[in-house]
Amino acid sequence: MHRVRFRDPAGSVRNGQWHDDHVSFAGETYSLDEVDVLPPCEPTKIVCIGRNYAEHADEMDNEVPDRPLLFLKPPNALAGHGDTVPLPAGKERVDWEAEIAVVVGKQARNVAAEDAMDYVAGFTCMNDVSNRDDQDREQNWVRGKAFDNAAPLGPVLATPDEVPEDASVELRVNGETKQSSSRDYMMFSVADLVEEITTYMTLEPGDVISTGTPAGVGALSDGDRVEVEVGGVGVLEHDVRAAE
């Protein structure tokens, strides 16, 4: 099942089903043009993973870490399917980063890897929009990663049975493929990540683990149209605009 959060024409937020060209809730059907598609969950935090694909670490002239490299994005970073994401003002390079995102289904603390999938509600698409100007100057990456709308997420929550173990992840900018890889190339699996993260913090229902980006990151420009596609999930689409 593909679950979707949306705002209906009356302004009510609904949790319904996605049917490619329309959404439905309680017997009512709406075209995508009639609704605002919202991020599929409301996380208290987004836990992101750096350098989880060896080729991306290499393209950034970094070593592959010996344990998951964790950083956080707060809820203010969320943006939804179809949104226009404003780029931070005065920055020379703000990059795209396509990622497979995991949505937590129930409270999780000290979870063993073999039990990790019991805590996963499903998967979605994320673009870890990254302000390289400031990321390169700081260690905690707050300016580089946590700015408003820096985490477009969606369009749906796909249940784990719909997303294959070798699910693809691809990013296109203005129709041109820039990133293409799969879960097979992650250095740390979803189960590994759940175990590591919950050793240090409690994950709440709706929290997101963004599992890292493959090689092929690059700079966004005013007016770009971005598509992030994850196998079994679908396509997250958004535009970007330069700050005025």
Side-chain angles (χ1 to χ4, degrees):
M1 180 187 298
H2 283 182
R3 302 168 187 162
V4 60
R5 289 179 66 245
F6 64 93
R7 184 174 290 106
D8 71 15
S12 298
V13 174
R14 305 299 191 186
N15 289 282
Q17 289 185 256
W18 177 277
H19 307 275
D20 292 331
D21 61 349
H22 66 279
V23 296
S24 64
F25 169 77
E28 296 289 335
T29 297
Y30 307 95
S31 72
L32 295 180
D33 291 339
E34 292 181 279
V35 302
D36 294 321
V37 178
L38 305 173
C41 55
E42 297 180 273
T44 67
K45 54 191 169 293
I46 303 168
V47 185
C48 300
I49 316 301
R51 306 177 201 162
N52 201 23
Y53 290 76
E55 290 185 355
H56 172 59
D58 183 65
E59 74 177 346
M60 302 300 287
D61 294 321
N62 289 313
E63 298 293 326
V64 174
D66 60 3
R67 63 176 185 172
L69 192 165
L70 308 180
F71 62 95
L72 296 172
K73 288 191 179 226
N76 66 282
L78 281 176
H81 177 76
D83 284 355
T84 296
V85 174
L87 302 178
K91 306 303 176 184
E92 292 186 6
R93 179 164 175 168
V94 180
D95 281 6
W96 63 73
E97 291 193 4
E99 308 205 1
I100 300 171
V102 177
V103 179
V104 176
K106 59 183 179 180
Q107 191 177 75
R109 181 78 163 107
N110 293 321
V111 175
E114 56 265 31
D115 299 323
M117 293 308 296
D118 293 340
Y119 293 82
V120 173
F123 295 84
T124 191
C125 311
M126 192 173 114
N127 186 6
D128 175 14
V129 183
S130 300
N131 161 20
R132 301 294 188 209
D133 290 28
D134 288 309
Q135 184 183 355
D136 292 344
R137 295 178 57 192
E138 61 187 8
Q139 293 184 340
N140 58 18
W141 296 355
V142 171
R143 296 175 184 85
K145 295 284 193 173
F147 54 93
D148 288 350
N149 307 122
L153 189 74
V156 299
L157 175 67
T159 50
D161 59 293
E162 296 181 293
V163 180
E165 291 291 330
D166 62 349
S168 60
V169 55
E170 182 171 298
L171 180 140
R172 298 179 291 274
V173 179
N174 303 323
E176 181 179 352
T177 299
K178 299 292 187 179
Q179 293 181 279
S180 183
S181 189
S182 77
R183 284 174 72 179
D184 285 338
Y185 293 95
M186 289 182 185
M187 302 301 297
F188 301 100
S189 70
V190 170
D192 293 334
L193 297 175
V194 171
E195 179 176 71
E196 178 70 12
I197 292 165
T198 61
T199 300
Y200 295 91
M201 69 182 78
T202 301
L203 294 175
E204 301 293 347
D207 282 353
V208 172
I209 301 171
S210 200
T211 59
T213 196
V217 303
L220 292 161
S221 298
D222 185 37
D224 279 346
R225 181 70 170 174
V226 180
E227 299 169 282
V228 178
E229 183 168 7
V230 171
V233 177
V235 182
L236 165 69
E237 301 180 16
H238 71 85
D239 297 323
V240 300
R241 65 169 173 81
E244 297 179 357

